[in-house]
Amino acid sequence: MRRIPAVVAVLGLSALALVGCSSSAPAASCDRPDADSSALDLIDVTGAPGSAAVTIAPPVYVDETVYTDAEVGDGLAVTSRAQDVQFTATIVDGESGETLVSAGTQVQRVSEWANYYEGIAKMLDCATEGSRIVGAVAPDDLSEEAATNLGLTDGQAAVIVLDLQRVFLAAADGTPQFNDRTGMPSVVLAPDGRPGIIVPDAEAPTDLVVEVLKKGDGEPVTGDTAARIQYTGVTWDDNEVFDSTWEKGASATVTLEGVVPGFAQALEGQTVGSQLLVVIPPELGYGEAGSGTIPGGATLVFVIDILGLDDTATQ
């Protein structure tokens, strides 16, 4: 079996290198197809979740990717390629039966995997957290770079088993809430959930203001586990974006100790799936010193989507 450092470009793809990738959604119905391929009968998988042991009766060859759910999880479903996922993957040479890679991955968008492993992206479409997915991936669904790193020759299929450990929301999906506070910024959402913030021509609040725009029904943020979020931040005075995970192309994990006090106070107790509009006065933000492009004394405005709790990041 190859050592993991030798295939860092395969399973350890840098999130920085993948920023800006496009995303596409699975079929609207989001049904998992019934696999109808004799190739899957050649694959045997044992072992606990996260520790798959794969044996095959080689050769396994397919001209289109096929897969089946050996176990069906009851967690969140992958309904968009913009969602972040984390899984363990075991990849086997379809011709020789050699195990090429067995490793866990970092949290990344499904669309990022699709750039190198369209076959993996197909296996993930509509899958649910906690599932074990067994697939035979066609050569055309592996990029040339991925096939080379794995040591696969032209036209060679790969057998891939995924244990899907975490699925995060692509954007807040909670129930819209009514807010009638005057003088607050307005928020408009693009179809993918990306927020635009319009700051009114008015004096900024002097106290911390937190409005729940969408109320999620997930677990609360307690501080014991890092929260995975999407956010956009602007300054009140110039309404200019100074930071945005949406623009960076990757969500972020934060702890309550790792953000400014106003951000932490706004997050604490809120639930996964919620979207927040937060106005942070200078004394709960970066104070009179400022930070980077944020001037001293700035009032900050954030829209925050809580995508999930990320215990891996906490560890």
Side-chain angles (χ1 to χ4, degrees), residues 45-53 71 87-88 130-132 161-165:
V45 184
T46 58
S51 302
E71 298 177 16
F87 53 83
T88 60
S131 294
R132 169 168 282 179
V161 175
L162 306 179
D163 284 333
L164 183 53
Q165 297 161 319

Side-chain angles (χ1 to χ4, degrees), residues 26-27 30-41 43 60 62 64-72 78 81 117-128 131-138 141 158-162 164:
C30 213
D31 292 329
R32 297 285 281 175
D34 292 328
D36 184 19
S37 173
S38 58
L40 295 176
D41 296 333
I43 306 169
V60 174
V62 289
E64 64 178 27
T65 296
V66 292
Y67 55 88
T68 187
D69 294 327
E71 298 177 16
V72 179
V78 179
R81 290 194 174 184
Y117 287 87
E118 174 62 22
I120 285 181
K122 288 179 177 179
M123 291 170 66
L124 290 169
D125 284 349
C126 299
T128 52
S131 294
R132 169 168 282 179
I133 310 160
V134 179
V137 174
D141 283 338
V159 171
I160 301 181
V161 175
L162 306 179
L164 183 53

Side-chain angles (χ1 to χ4, degrees), residues 174-187:
T175 303
Q177 303 294 294
F178 176 71
N179 294 280
D180 61 356
R181 188 191 299 265
T182 59
M184 284 291 287
S186 301
V187 179

Side-chain angles (χ1 to χ4, degrees), residues 8 17 49 51 82 87 118 123 170 200 228 245 271 278 280 289:
V8 67
S51 302
F87 53 83
E118 174 62 22
M123 291 170 66
R228 183 163 289 275
T245 57
T271 51
V278 183
I280 302 176

Side-chain angles (χ1 to χ4, degrees), residues 98 116 139 170 181 305:
E98 177 191 0
Y116 296 89
R181 188 191 299 265
D305 286 21

